Amino acid sequence: MKTLYDKVWKSHIVHEEAGQPALMYVDLHLIHEVTSPQAFEGLRVAGRKVRQAGRTFATVDHAIPTLNRNLPFKDPIAAQQVEKLRENCKEFGVKLYDLDRIEQGIIHVFGPEQGLTQPGMTIVCGDSHTSTHGAFGALAFGIGTSEVEHVLATQTLQQSPAKNFLIRVDGKLPYGVTAKDIILGIINEIGTGGATGHVIEYAGSAIESLSIEGRMTVCNMSIEAGAKAGLIAPDEKTFEYLKGRPFAPKGEDWNRAVAYWGTLPTDAGAAYDKTVAIDAGDLEPYVTWGTSPEMSVKISESVPDISDARDASQRETNERAFAYMGLEPSQKIDEIGIDVAFIGSCTNSRIEDLREAARVANGYHVNSGVKAMIVPGSMQIKKQAEDEGLAKIFIDAGFEWRDAGCSMCLAMNDDVLADGERCASTSNRNFEGRQGRGGRTHLVSPMMAAAAAITGHFVDVRDWKFRD
Amino acid sequence: MNKFVVHSGSCVPLMRENIDTDQIIPKQFLKRIERSGYGEFLFYDWRFAADGTPTADFVLNDPRYAGASILIAGANFACGSSREHAPWSLMDHGFRVIIAPSFADIFYNNSLKNGLLPITLDAADVAYLGEAVSADPNFTLTVDLENCTVTDGAAFTRSFKIDKFRRHCLLNGLDDIGMTLQHEATITDYETRLASTGRFVLA
Ligand code: SF4
């Protein structure tokens, strides 16, 4: 009796020897401009090649502008980094989906969209949110640059097995409570170190009921709970999503693949090292108040009272977060006003996220004190949203409609919060300075961000008067 | 990789929890394409005010801790982004050892691959060390990787755990890729078997 994780892990062991980490085969290696230059340089210095260029795919996302991509970059260092990726891909024979391609997008949006991400695979990328791909039942995790070089050279990684952590979310999600709220609720419950050393498997009726996009949102933030990876068993929805995508198996291969994928879900009675159960009915829209993703509250609640801290160290951490965020203990969430709304990132920039945000925005206008932007996860999503009429809703409502990229998720390009600016953001990290020095990030779902953009402060989207 | 056998040095206490890699090395310094030269950007937004002047109240700017090579930190150290620039900047700044109650996985791995030693001790021991260093900035620790011990040469001696293989690699400064490539034939065999299943063909 094995778990989904055990099955994927075991089937990828190339070599095992007592007292050493195993060698794990890597089926898919994704790369981007920020964490790869030093790895390619390492290969060059050692006179090594990319072992399986056909399993290596690159795109540009982190440092690129999302406005006027055809103009020369304002930042010469970012331009150099992108140029370096082009040179490296050319020299080592790696396929690059550059700025001129409709497939270009955030690496974790791009992989699934192209059908590269498939159940049962091992997938790595020099980026911690590689956990996103676990939504397909793939074992996917982020690695450092030394490991990127190791994978380029050997198509394997030295790995030790992780522990199994089952998180069940059962019951029906109330309308307005989304995949983002599930994962924020989970992190609130188990903490940012709660899954360290573990691979989380998300299961239960509320997880099954999510679309593939929603499942990606949940798996995306596994790393914010400290997990090695997060996965969800593949099912009919997964197959349906993959069918016909450019790199998905075709014809007879498709049938064989589906038969194999069907063997992956956890066997009945398999044991987990740890289990947590959550009732979907208890969840509400969540808003983070502090500088760690675990510092969140339900929309109906107030930010915490400092005297509730578990110990001195937590009290100090909380005090620092309050000071940084410019909040008062016990302040009500819906009294917090915002300056910026950012809808995007590998957590929430897929078509479904844009549909939800557009439903809220439809017929309204962004508050005069708020700058709001929508950054689709890929150029393909951008086009689809334009074809579906979502772009028009956003533009009419006063949102900026951008090109694909990471943008204000980490603010490595020109999209940066000014000191003291407060942002409702659909991204995944509210760390100090993440969206700009002194910038204050509140993580929320796309619906919540759109509603805050319109009213100028946080509101409970469950009470929203839709105008469609 | 840099070897690590024994290291003695003075310490600096940074007793915050969940210090993330965005703080260790903010993103504006990730655009370089080299591995070196990140030390001056370590904890940049904490060390420097917006106008670039050093902040007086940040511990790394306290002259009493100048030259410290051991960082004592709070739980879940270096969570967040996978950027290997985090260990690169810590090492470039002169750190060889980080002692904390717990570390984020990716950072832990990244550190070991660069010869930076992350040591996990009980929260109470880490708190004790934090206080000892605050009381006496000349407080020195000796870390012996061969014997897996940390000691102040007096009252405080603790042993720590580290994966045997990782320890072996660090002690000898071994190159991971070179070691893996000793199994190249096995990798080729695996690839042949994989091809015969028709699985995960990406074309
Ligand atoms: S969108 Fe944000 S979290 Fe996702 S890959 Fe880009 S920078 Fe990382």
Side-chain angles (χ1 to χ4, degrees):
Chain A
M1 286 176 296
K2 290 195 240 160
T3 63
L4 166 59
Y5 165 69
D6 295 338
K7 294 181 194 185
V8 181
W9 163 252
K10 293 233 164 73
S11 66
H12 285 83
I13 294 177
V14 172
H15 178 79
E16 232 177 347
E17 208 172 310
Q20 287 188 19
L23 272 191
M24 181 196 93
Y25 197 72
V26 173
D27 294 314
L28 174 64
H29 187 195
L30 299 170
I31 61 179
H32 62 82
E33 74 274 24
V34 177
T35 54
S36 66
Q38 297 87 354
F40 281 112
E41 188 54 28
L43 290 188
R44 213 175 274 121
V45 168
R48 288 172 177 142
K49 290 202 194 54
V50 174
R51 182 175 177 91
Q52 290 287 351
R55 295 191 175 277
T56 316
F57 293 80
T59 190
V60 284
D61 54 2
H62 281 66
I64 59 169
T66 56
L67 205 56
N68 298 334
R69 58 169 54 192
N70 299 320
L71 296 178
F73 287 16
K74 280 197 211 131
D75 179 349
I77 316 180
Q80 186 203 21
Q81 206 167 42
V82 170
E83 199 44 51
K84 198 79 208 163
L85 183 68
R86 288 178 184 142
E87 283 169 33
N88 285 332
C89 287
K90 199 158 168 232
E91 179 180 341
F92 289 92
V94 171
K95 274 180 287 304
L96 167 67
Y97 292 81
D98 207 338
L99 286 174
D100 56 350
R101 300 280 300 256
I102 180 102
E103 299 92 338
Q104 178 271 334
I106 304 172
I107 191 98
H108 311 307
V109 175
F110 157 84
E113 200 165 72
Q114 294 310 313
L116 287 166
T117 302
Q118 297 171 20
M121 277 186 163
T122 49
I123 303 175
V124 299
C125 172
D127 188 283
S128 57
H129 291 99
T130 308
S131 58
T132 312
H133 308 259
F136 293 79
L139 172 60
F141 52 89
I143 56 179
T145 296
S146 295
E147 291 176 312
V148 170
E149 185 181 337
H150 191 279
V151 176
L152 289 172
T154 71
Q155 205 56 34
T156 64
L157 263 184
Q158 299 180 354
Q159 281 292 304
S160 302
K163 290 188 189 140
N164 282 287
F165 187 171
L166 174 66
I167 299 188
R168 284 194 67 94
V169 188
D170 283 294
K172 198 171 147 35
L173 277 183
Y175 187 78
V177 182
T178 65
K180 182 64 163 287
D181 304 300
I182 294 183
I183 189 64
L184 286 173
I186 288 173
I187 296 165
N188 181 283
E189 169 106 10
I190 69 174
T192 46
T196 304
H198 290 75
V199 165
I200 301 174
E201 180 177 344
Y202 302 95
S205 58
I207 299 291
E208 285 161 24
S209 75
L210 292 176
S211 65
I212 297 301
E213 285 84 353
R215 294 179 190 181
M216 285 194 256
T217 300
V218 171
C219 289
N220 174 270
M221 289 188 72
S222 303
I223 184 72
E224 260 60 64
K228 172 101 199 166
L231 355 111
I232 295 174
D235 61 11
E236 287 302 323
K237 278 188 199 169
T238 321
F239 310 155
E240 193 51 43
Y241 177 98
L242 273 169
K243 196 159 193 183
R245 295 198 179 253
F247 289 95
K250 311 262 159 14
E252 198 34 49
D253 289 343
W254 171 261
N255 298 334
R256 278 208 295 175
V258 170
Y260 168 60
W261 297 340
T263 66
L264 293 169
T266 297
D267 301 328
Y272 291 85
D273 300 286
K274 207 166 163 181
T275 306
V276 163
I278 287 179
D279 182 349
D282 290 343
L283 297 173
E284 289 183 23
Y286 277 80
V287 181
T288 65
W289 59 267
T291 52
S292 159
E294 69 183 15
M295 294 173 163
S296 64
V297 287
K298 294 174 177 170
I299 182 70
S300 65
E301 299 174 342
S302 303
V303 302
D305 177 353
I306 279 189
S307 55
D308 288 347
R310 106 179 93 71
D311 54 27
S313 133
Q314 192 186 45
R315 185 166 319 117
E316 199 184 314
T317 307
N318 284 356
E319 276 168 8
R320 206 183 145 76
F322 275 115
Y324 182 84
M325 293 297 290
L327 295 174
E328 298 298 326
S330 306
Q331 194 170 346
K332 290 198 65 185
I333 285 289
D334 56 10
E335 287 168 359
I336 302 173
I338 63 160
D339 307 299
V340 176
F342 169 68
I343 298 179
S345 89
C346 57
T347 316
N348 282 127
S349 63
R350 286 169 285 266
I351 192 70
E352 179 179 280
D353 302 313
L354 302 192
R355 286 184 193 134
E356 286 177 351
R359 199 170 166 234
V360 171
N362 193 13
Y364 285 96
H365 201 277
V366 168
N367 186 280
S368 59
V370 175
K371 172 187 156 77
M373 64 167 128
I374 315 271
V375 186
S378 71
M379 291 308 278
Q380 228 162 269
I381 292 173
K382 180 174 189 187
K383 175 160 190 311
Q384 189 180 353
E386 285 169 351
D387 293 347
E388 288 184 15
L390 308 179
K392 184 168 186 317
I393 294 176
F394 289 127
I395 294 166
D396 289 349
F399 287 85
E400 288 182 28
W401 180 243
R402 299 293 193 93
D403 287 335
C406 296
S407 190
M408 201 184 265
C409 172
L410 91 164
M412 245 180 103
N413 68 354
D414 318 316
D415 304 323
V416 180
L417 288 184
D419 194 359
E421 271 186 334
R422 193 178 292 286
C423 179
S425 178
T426 66
S427 56
N428 43 50
R429 287 188 174 139
N430 51 350
F431 298 155
E432 280 183 31
R434 170 80 176 181
Q435 297 190 295
R437 188 181 178 124
R440 295 161 171 169
T441 305
H442 296 269
L443 304 176
V444 287
S445 72
M447 291 174 104
M448 287 288 287
I454 287 157
T455 55
H457 58 87
F458 291 109
V459 287
D460 188 341
V461 78
R462 292 173 302 175
D463 302 331
W464 194 253
K465 303 272 175 294
F466 292 97
R467 291 186 177 164
D468 52 6
Chain B
M1 184 175 73
N2 293 309
K3 271 192 196 188
F4 191 111
V5 184
V6 179
H7 176 79
S8 291
S10 60
C11 312
V12 56
L14 189 54
M15 311 306 287
R16 294 177 192 169
E17 293 180 8
N18 299 323
I19 293 174
D20 58 81
T21 52
D22 273 81
Q23 307 317 320
I24 298 175
I25 176 95
K27 69 247 162 188
Q28 62 267 36
F29 308 114
L30 304 184
K31 290 175 194 155
R32 298 155 49 88
I33 52 177
E34 299 84 21
R35 271 176 205 258
S36 55
Y38 293 94
E40 55 184 304
F41 310 127
L42 177 71
F43 289 116
Y44 192 87
D45 289 350
W46 286 351
R47 262 167 74 202
F48 301 100
D51 64 2
T53 52
T55 44
D57 59 350
F58 185 55
V59 70
L60 253 64
N61 290 334
D62 186 335
R64 293 179 304 153
Y65 298 111
S69 58
I70 300 178
L71 182 70
I72 316 284
N76 199 27
F77 183 75
C79 56
S81 151
S82 64
R83 57 189 72 162
E84 197 158 318
H85 312 69
W88 294 339
S89 60
L90 285 159
M91 289 200 75
D92 201 47
H93 190 270
F95 289 108
R96 294 303 314 275
V97 177
I98 318 286
I99 300 178
S102 56
F103 293 88
D105 283 339
I106 302 179
F107 174 82
Y108 188 88
N109 275 325
N110 283 343
S111 296
L112 292 177
K113 292 192 192 303
N114 286 279
L116 176 69
L117 181 62
I119 296 180
T120 309
L121 292 182
D122 281 356
D125 288 335
V126 176
Y128 168 83
L129 291 177
E131 279 160 26
V133 181
S134 304
D136 173 13
N138 296 321
F139 180 85
T140 300
L141 286 173
T142 298
V143 174
D144 177 345
L145 182 59
E146 193 93 55
N147 296 305
C148 295
T149 55
V150 187
T151 178
D152 65 356
F156 185 91
T157 300
R158 293 287 181 277
S159 51
F160 61 88
K161 290 209 178 80
I162 177 169
D163 176 79
K164 273 205 191 97
F165 176 75
R166 286 288 152 222
R167 178 168 147 263
H168 170 76
C169 294
L170 266 178
L171 285 170
N172 298 289
L174 297 178
D175 163 42
D176 278 3
I177 297 179
M179 280 191 293
T180 296
L181 286 175
Q182 291 173 0
H183 301 293
E184 191 162 8
T186 320
I187 301 174
T188 306
D189 283 353
Y190 183 92
E191 286 173 332
T192 312
R193 269 183 286 135
L194 181 64
S196 72
T197 66
R199 265 171 222 159
F200 314 135
V201 179
L202 297 172

